[in-house]
Amino acid sequence: MTNTHAPLLDPLDMADITTPNRVWMAPLTRSRSTAGDCEQTPLHALYYAQRAGAGLIVSEATQISHEGQGYAWTPGIFTDDQVESWKLVTDAVHNAGGRIFCQLWHVGAISHQVFQPEGGAPVSASVWTPEGGAFVGDRLSEGPTVPFPEARALELSEIPRLLDDYRHAARCAARAGFDGVEVHAANGYLIDQFLRSSTNRRDDEYGGSLENRLRLLDEVVAAVTEVLPAGRVGVRLSPMGGPGGSSDARPEETYPEAAAKLAGRGLAYLHVVRPNGHTGSGGSDEGNAIVKDMRKRFDGVFVANGEFSTEEAAQWIADGHADAIAFGRLFIANPDLPARIAAGGPYEEANEDTFYGGGAEGYVDYPTLDRVSDTLPVPA
């Protein structure tokens, strides 16, 4: 272990949970759930158990309802069978000594009629057609990716039902054995579509002013913390980036204010994705400045994510910009990432061709440090 990495390996006290290190596993969509019923399998249990050394695992994004789905082969957390399938995962993680939160997901407009109840239009803050295409897998003959359809504005009368969907999913997550949940309010999905000025053109109490655009975030978090202790609830935000091309005119105001809105509730943490090449927005000094301002406005554990090297991650913690760092691609290729950080590497490279869809290859076959040690040169 090098001294520069030491801050990543310190334990971290949250409201209700202590994590043994600050190397968290970011939510990673891998598109390997069963088609149609959106359930997990023993393969998922192995994948997550292999990574149980993380300070905290945040599950792949998991839809709260049929309406909330936008991608092929992603899991749900709203039916009894889905709950039972997730128990395989949470039991495996706990048996391996880990901790895991379920990320609660509603994609909003980033969807397609094939996923929607009765083939209806996806919903959003306002009428909007996202840029790019929906990943429908084998649901349509036109191909795995097809143009996004126009989304309709969520009716005011539907918002109580949406909040009930979040409550129900949170209850299901608790029944499935998760240690907590993360409200996915990032990456241009439904809650973020209400936050961002380009997608929220409503003229009711959920649109217009920043206070109004923050209302749905506020109400979803309130709904989830009615079901679970606040110390078991985290929130994810991202000032820029995500599919569909949504944006906010003044992210330097919107997202620090969102962080302030979440303060004072006793939440487990705030998880923020800085602009990076994988979100389509690219890294920027402006983006880092917004994230650091959000850190100042939130009063609890602050987690940063977005193309961090292990060295930069340790420095952010040492400098007080974050309490933990969530790693994505590094955790895909290095299931024992905290152990590798402690040893100073080496680090495997992820195979991008196997990120989405498929089976065991590129999912559970990455070696751990003890499996590759025999092939490494002996130090002089």
Side-chain angles (χ1 to χ4, degrees), residues 159 162-163 166-167 183-185 190-192 194-195 200 205-206 209-227 230 233-237 254 257-267 270 298:
I159 290 179
L162 175 68
L163 297 177
Y166 275 99
R167 291 185 188 97
V183 174
H184 193 351
L190 182 64
I191 298 174
D192 212 9
F194 274 76
L195 289 174
N200 188 337
E205 58 263 45
Y206 290 87
S209 68
L210 177 53
E211 179 181 3
N212 284 355
R213 288 187 283 119
L214 289 169
R215 191 180 304 276
L216 184 64
L217 170 65
D218 183 36
E219 291 182 350
V220 167
V221 173
V224 172
T225 54
E226 289 173 15
V227 174
V233 178
V235 177
R236 195 183 210 214
L237 295 171
T254 298
E257 189 61 28
K261 176 71 73 173
L262 297 171
R265 297 174 184 245
L267 296 174
L270 175 59
F298 183 68

Side-chain angles (χ1 to χ4, degrees), residues 78-99:
F78 56 91
T79 72
D80 290 343
D81 288 343
Q82 290 165 359
V83 167
E84 291 302 312
S85 75
W86 271 114
K87 286 181 180 178
L88 296 174
V89 173
T90 60
D91 284 349
V93 170
H94 293 148
N95 289 339
R99 298 136 300 279

Side-chain angles (χ1 to χ4, degrees), residues 26-375:
L28 295 161
T29 294
R30 304 301 305 277
S31 300
R32 284 169 167 81
S33 300
T34 60
D37 48 19
C38 305
E39 294 171 14
Q40 302 294 69
T41 70
L43 191 66
H44 295 93
L46 175 59
Y47 168 76
Y48 282 107
Q50 288 174 338
R51 291 155 179 81
L56 179 71
I57 294 172
V58 183
S59 81
E60 62 204 280
T62 304
Q63 54 256 13
I64 64 168
S65 63
H66 286 295
E67 180 188 82
Q69 184 175 5
Y71 297 81
W73 309 312
T74 54
I77 190 68
F78 56 91
T79 72
D80 290 343
D81 288 343
Q82 290 165 359
V83 167
E84 291 302 312
S85 75
W86 271 114
K87 286 181 180 178
L88 296 174
V89 173
T90 60
D91 284 349
V93 170
H94 293 148
N95 289 339
R99 298 136 300 279
I100 183 169
F101 274 35
C102 181
Q103 190 185 61
L104 304 183
W105 191 29
H106 192 307
V107 301
I110 308 300
S111 186
H112 192 275
Q113 293 95 329
V114 297
F115 300 120
Q116 296 299 306
E118 300 179 354
V123 301
S124 186
S126 303
V127 174
W128 177 48
T129 304
E131 300 170 1
F135 177 62
V136 298
D138 57 3
R139 300 286 291 269
L140 294 173
S141 61
E142 292 90 331
T145 302
V146 297
F148 286 116
E150 181 180 83
R152 66 177 180 85
L154 191 70
E155 298 286 343
L156 194 61
S157 62
E158 295 178 283
I159 290 179
R161 182 266 302 163
L162 175 68
L163 297 177
D164 281 342
D165 287 343
Y166 275 99
R167 291 185 188 97
H168 176 67
R171 291 189 188 98
C172 288
R175 286 174 48 213
F178 284 99
D179 298 293
V181 301
E182 178 178 284
V183 174
H184 193 351
N187 301 105
Y189 295 119
L190 182 64
I191 298 174
D192 212 9
Q193 290 160 28
F194 274 76
L195 289 174
R196 295 181 174 185
S197 58
S198 73
T199 44
N200 188 337
R201 299 179 298 279
R202 301 176 74 97
D203 58 6
D204 58 20
E205 58 263 45
Y206 290 87
S209 68
L210 177 53
E211 179 181 3
N212 284 355
R213 288 187 283 119
L214 289 169
R215 191 180 304 276
L216 184 64
L217 170 65
D218 183 36
E219 291 182 350
V220 167
V221 173
V224 172
T225 54
E226 289 173 15
V227 174
L228 300 176
R232 299 283 177 154
V233 178
V235 177
R236 195 183 210 214
L237 295 171
S238 59
M240 303 173 191
S246 64
S247 63
D248 187 70
R250 301 190 67 82
E252 72 280 4
E253 294 181 5
T254 298
Y255 290 90
E257 189 61 28
K261 176 71 73 173
L262 297 171
R265 297 174 184 245
L267 296 174
Y269 60 85
L270 175 59
H271 179 187
V272 177
V273 186
R274 67 177 180 177
N276 65 86
H278 303 315
T279 66
S281 56
S284 70
D285 291 339
E286 177 194 12
N288 278 341
I290 294 171
V291 173
K292 291 174 182 178
D293 193 17
M294 294 172 73
R295 158 66 153 175
K296 295 174 184 176
R297 302 289 297 276
F298 183 68
D299 63 349
V301 168
F302 190 87
V303 185
N305 170 241
E307 287 187 328
F308 279 91
S309 68
T310 58
E311 292 80 9
E312 186 186 18
Q315 193 63 53
W316 267 52
I317 293 173
D319 292 342
H321 299 317
D323 298 300
I325 303 295
F327 295 91
R329 294 177 178 224
L330 267 177
F331 247 124
I332 288 176
N334 300 276
D336 56 344
L337 183 59
R340 288 176 182 267
I341 290 173
Y347 302 103
E348 301 292 317
E349 292 290 329
N351 178 3
E352 296 190 17
D353 292 339
T354 60
F355 277 2
Y356 307 110
E361 182 184 359
Y363 192 59
V364 296
D365 58 351
Y366 287 105
T368 54
L369 193 59
D370 57 359
R371 284 171 51 197
V372 299
S373 59
D374 292 342
T375 68

